[in-house]
């Protein structure tokens, strides 16, 4: 009989721990190949027909994972699994379900789900993120287990689960201890005449190489400033723009910059305009001053936003310094 035990940020299946968010490769290492179904352009189901288990992944989950500081990479976009216990179809937007049913047990922190430890909504019963261990102790976990039923019948027959269940990951954003007070270092700093170039450099040093601190996160920064900004927007957040304008960069870090590869999904832009889709030219630049470019002696290549004309214009400036420039539009 299969066994699943849910814990703080994942679950154990038949003796193997799987931690959310998951990649298909991690699941495959434990359960083998799945039947992969593309439900739409963004959602993918990984069906283990013989087990009655289906995993759900989508790139649409990634922004929330980033907000909650649970993001790993683009491949780790699986945040839930469904146990098809009754054999009934659960999702209206999916064309298929698992061929066989899940035959096994389900526990949360080693205990069966009881009505004393659940909440009820239109779907049925869900095991609360705050789990009551005993009369005095409670424990917060980040994985919910929702039993899909609207009747009052028992959830179990002995140890065997009797109801369909959705197990899903709901991370809680950890509190930040970062001090974002800007302090000018007691050393030479880089000088920029082109703000968008500075942003590209910050993205390389702060987000790609982790050598420029502190790591700026717009949600942490809002908490630090006690701000009430709208972060569900594609518009620039003025406070973030001002922060990066004022942020000093030690000149010694220039040696770390060998390439700049601008992309609409770069962290720097997601922290300035969280919902920006990369379709406008607000972060473009096609000109630099000699004084700012010559600070980067190891820079050999730049891939920039814009078209061939933008790249050609910038190439005339960067070429004498041994830097090649290409437009992002022609890459790939």
């Amino acid at each position: 009989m299969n066994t699943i035990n849910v814990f703080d940020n994942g679950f154990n299946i038949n003796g193997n721990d799987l931690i959310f968010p998951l990649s298909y490769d991690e699941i495959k290492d434990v359960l083998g190949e799945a039947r992969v179904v593309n439900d739409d352009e963004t959602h993918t189901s990984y069906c283990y027909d013989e087990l009655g288990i289906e995993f759900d992944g989508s790139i649409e989950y990634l922004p929330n994972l980033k907000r909650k500081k649970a993001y790993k990479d683009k491949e780790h976009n699986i945040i839930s699994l469904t146990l098809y216990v009754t054999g009934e179809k659960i999702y209206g937007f999916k064309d298929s379900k698992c061929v066989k049913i899940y035959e096994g047990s389900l526990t949360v922190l080693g205990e069966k789900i009881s009505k004393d430890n659940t909440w009820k909504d239109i779907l049925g019963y869900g095991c609360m993120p705050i789990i009551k261990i005993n009369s005095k102790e409670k424990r917060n976990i980040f994985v919910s287990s929702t039993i899909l039923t609207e009747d009052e019948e028992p959830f179990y027959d002995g140890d065997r689960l009797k109801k369909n269940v959705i197990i899903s990951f709901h991370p809680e954003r950890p509190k930040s201890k970062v001090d974002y007070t800007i302090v000018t270092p007691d050393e030479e700093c880089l000088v920029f005449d082109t703000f968008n170039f500075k942003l590209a450099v910050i993205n390389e040093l702060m987000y790609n190489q982790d050598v420029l601190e502190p790591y700026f996160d717009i949600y942490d920064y809002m908490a630090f400033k006690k701000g009430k900004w709208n972060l569900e927007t594609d518009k620039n957040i003025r406070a973030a723009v001002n922060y990066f304008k004022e942020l000093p960069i030690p000149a010694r870090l220039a040696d770390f910059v060998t390439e700049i590869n601008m992309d609409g999904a770069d962290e720097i832009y997601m922290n300035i305009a969280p919902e920006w889709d990369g379709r406008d030219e607000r972060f473009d630049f096609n000109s630099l001053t000699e004084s700012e470019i010559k600070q980067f002696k190891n820079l050999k290549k730049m891939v920039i936003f814009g078209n061939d004309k933008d790249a050609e214009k910038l190439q005339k400036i960067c070429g004498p310094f041994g830097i090649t420039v290409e437009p992002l539009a022609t890459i790939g």
Side-chain angles (χ1 to χ4, degrees):
M1 185 173 75
N2 295 300
T3 61
I4 293 179
N5 179 56
V6 175
F7 49 82
D8 302 67
N9 58 349
F11 61 96
N12 181 286
I13 179 167
N14 300 334
N16 300 282
D17 285 348
L18 288 170
I19 309 298
F20 288 116
L22 291 161
S23 69
Y24 176 44
D25 285 341
E26 290 173 327
I27 299 170
K28 190 164 55 175
D29 286 343
V30 173
L31 299 179
E33 296 278 352
R35 175 170 58 90
V36 180
V37 180
N38 293 314
D39 299 306
D40 55 35
E41 293 182 355
T42 60
H43 286 78
T44 302
S45 295
Y46 304 90
C47 302
Y48 287 88
D49 291 315
E50 298 300 312
L51 297 176
I53 300 174
E54 175 188 337
F55 292 86
D56 176 51
S58 175
I59 57 174
E60 291 186 345
Y61 302 145
L62 297 178
N64 184 57
L65 291 174
K66 288 182 178 180
R67 285 192 288 270
K68 299 298 181 67
K69 289 191 173 181
Y71 176 85
K72 296 178 182 178
D73 56 44
K74 292 181 179 179
E75 301 302 318
H76 287 78
N77 59 44
I78 299 171
I79 63 168
S80 70
L81 66 150
T82 301
L83 308 182
Y84 286 91
V85 179
T86 68
E88 299 172 354
K89 184 176 179 179
I90 295 175
Y91 302 97
F93 67 91
K94 294 183 178 182
D95 294 331
S96 64
K97 59 182 177 62
C98 288
V99 173
K100 295 187 178 181
I101 65 173
Y102 175 76
E103 296 183 353
S105 66
L106 172 68
T107 55
V108 177
L109 300 180
E111 302 291 333
K112 294 180 184 178
I113 301 175
S114 69
K115 289 184 173 64
D116 293 335
N117 212 17
T118 61
W119 48 266
K120 184 176 181 180
D121 63 10
I122 58 173
L123 284 177
Y125 292 87
C127 194
M128 295 183 294
I130 298 177
I131 304 298
K132 183 178 180 182
I133 305 299
N134 52 47
S135 59
K136 295 183 179 181
E137 183 183 0
K138 293 183 178 180
R139 182 172 173 182
N140 189 56
I141 67 174
F142 306 127
V143 182
S144 67
S145 301
T146 302
I147 294 180
L148 303 183
T149 182
E150 295 183 6
D151 58 42
E152 299 295 327
E153 294 181 0
F155 302 157
Y156 297 89
D157 179 7
D159 290 332
R160 190 183 299 273
L161 188 65
K162 293 180 62 178
K163 306 290 185 180
N164 295 327
V165 174
I166 299 174
I167 299 170
S168 53
F169 181 47
H170 302 282
E172 180 178 301
R173 183 181 178 84
K175 292 183 179 180
S176 171
K177 297 181 181 179
V178 176
D179 185 346
Y180 285 104
T181 303
I182 291 179
V183 178
T184 302
D186 188 21
E187 59 180 306
E188 183 183 356
C189 292
L190 297 173
V191 177
F192 292 91
D193 300 309
T194 308
F195 179 58
N196 283 348
F197 176 57
K198 181 182 182 181
L199 291 179
V201 170
I202 292 173
N203 188 74
E204 178 64 20
L205 295 174
M206 180 178 291
Y207 297 107
N208 292 345
Q209 298 194 36
D210 297 321
V211 294
L212 177 61
E213 296 180 334
Y215 182 101
F216 181 90
D217 181 285
I218 186 60
Y219 296 90
D220 288 343
Y221 187 61
M222 180 173 67
F224 175 78
K225 299 291 285 187
K226 296 182 173 59
K228 296 182 179 180
W229 316 317
N230 174 25
L231 301 185
E232 305 300 320
T233 179
D234 65 351
K235 297 180 180 179
N236 287 355
I237 298 168
R238 183 174 298 180
V241 172
N242 291 339
Y243 177 86
F244 288 122
K245 282 183 176 179
E246 297 174 12
L247 182 68
I249 304 176
R252 56 184 167 79
L253 296 183
D255 290 344
F256 287 88
V257 183
T258 60
E259 287 191 9
I260 288 177
N261 296 286
M262 300 174 70
D263 187 274
D266 286 340
E267 290 293 311
I268 187 75
Y269 310 121
M270 296 301 96
N271 279 290
I272 292 175
E275 302 295 332
W276 183 56
D277 61 10
R279 295 184 181 180
D280 59 48
E281 301 174 353
R282 74 182 76 175
F283 298 115
D284 291 12
F285 64 92
N286 58 20
S287 180
L288 294 171
T289 63
E290 180 179 329
S291 61
E292 62 185 330
I293 195 64
K294 71 180 183 181
Q295 298 174 105
F296 298 89
K297 298 178 181 180
N298 295 330
L299 180 58
K300 301 301 179 185
K301 180 181 178 181
M302 288 200 295
V303 177
I304 64 166
F305 295 143
N307 54 34
D308 290 334
K309 289 184 178 180
D310 295 320
E312 289 171 4
K313 186 176 180 181
L314 194 55
Q315 182 67 66
K316 292 179 181 179
I317 301 168
C318 295
F321 296 93
I323 303 168
T324 60
V325 181
E326 299 177 50
L328 177 63
T330 63
I331 299 301

